[in-house]
């Protein structure tokens, strides 16, 4: 059983920074990708950043501002978010995929005030 627990969300002013963490437990394989997604009210969940053995991928809207990283020893993935904008307000979710099954965390709220 895989469990993902996100933390680090909160309220921040535009231009500020936050660092999200996702601690994974259970059968976690370093070869499998992990990612951050977000869902704003009334919108579909969207990919923010992905990290795998190949490298990293980012949504165009966050390139240059967000950085995803992974500590395999701690089974933790991070999302450093800088220069936050009100449009970044959403619930941020961590995802881990293994053998065709997607595992999601409960999400952490990020609110950026203008």
């Amino acid at each position: 059983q895989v469990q993902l627990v996100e933390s680090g969300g909160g309220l921040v002013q535009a231009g500020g920074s936050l660092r999200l963490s996702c601690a994974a437990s259970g059968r976690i394989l370093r070869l499998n990708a992990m990612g951050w997604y977000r869902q704003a009210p009334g919108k579909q969940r969207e990919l923010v950043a992905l990290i795998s053995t190949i490298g990293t991928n980012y949504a165009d809207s966050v390139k240059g501002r967000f950085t995803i990283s992974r500590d395999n020893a701690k089974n933790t993935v991070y999302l450093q978010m800088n220069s936050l904008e009100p449009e970044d307000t959403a619930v941020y979710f961590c995802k881990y995929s293994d053998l065709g099954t997607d595992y999601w965390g409960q999400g952490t709220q990020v609110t950026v005030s203008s």
Side-chain angles (χ1 to χ4, degrees):
Q1 184 73 14
V2 173
Q3 289 187 328
L4 305 172
V5 179
E6 301 99 333
S7 61
L11 173 64
V12 63
Q13 288 188 332
S17 299
L18 283 174
R19 188 194 193 204
L20 305 183
S21 299
C22 172
S25 60
R27 185 177 180 268
I28 304 297
L29 301 179
R30 300 178 179 184
L31 293 177
N32 292 338
M34 294 188 72
W36 285 97
Y37 292 72
R38 67 186 181 187
Q39 188 166 18
K43 294 187 177 181
Q44 290 188 333
R45 192 171 297 188
E46 63 175 358
L47 174 67
V48 175
L50 191 70
I51 187 166
S52 67
T53 54
I54 298 175
T56 56
N57 285 307
Y58 296 92
D60 288 343
S61 59
V62 308
K63 283 182 181 177
R65 300 189 297 122
F66 291 11
T67 303
I68 188 171
S69 61
R70 184 172 181 172
D71 185 335
N72 288 321
K74 296 181 179 180
N75 282 340
T76 300
V77 63
Y78 304 95
L79 185 67
Q80 178 66 43
M81 306 186 294
N82 298 327
S83 301
L84 283 162
E85 304 168 353
E87 293 73 23
D88 296 317
T89 295
V91 179
Y92 284 70
F93 298 89
C94 176
K95 189 182 90 168
Y96 171 78
S97 299
D98 183 32
L99 299 177
T101 300
D102 293 334
Y103 300 90
W104 294 91
Q106 81 289 350
T108 184
Q109 176 70 46
V110 171
T111 303
V112 184
S113 63
S114 57

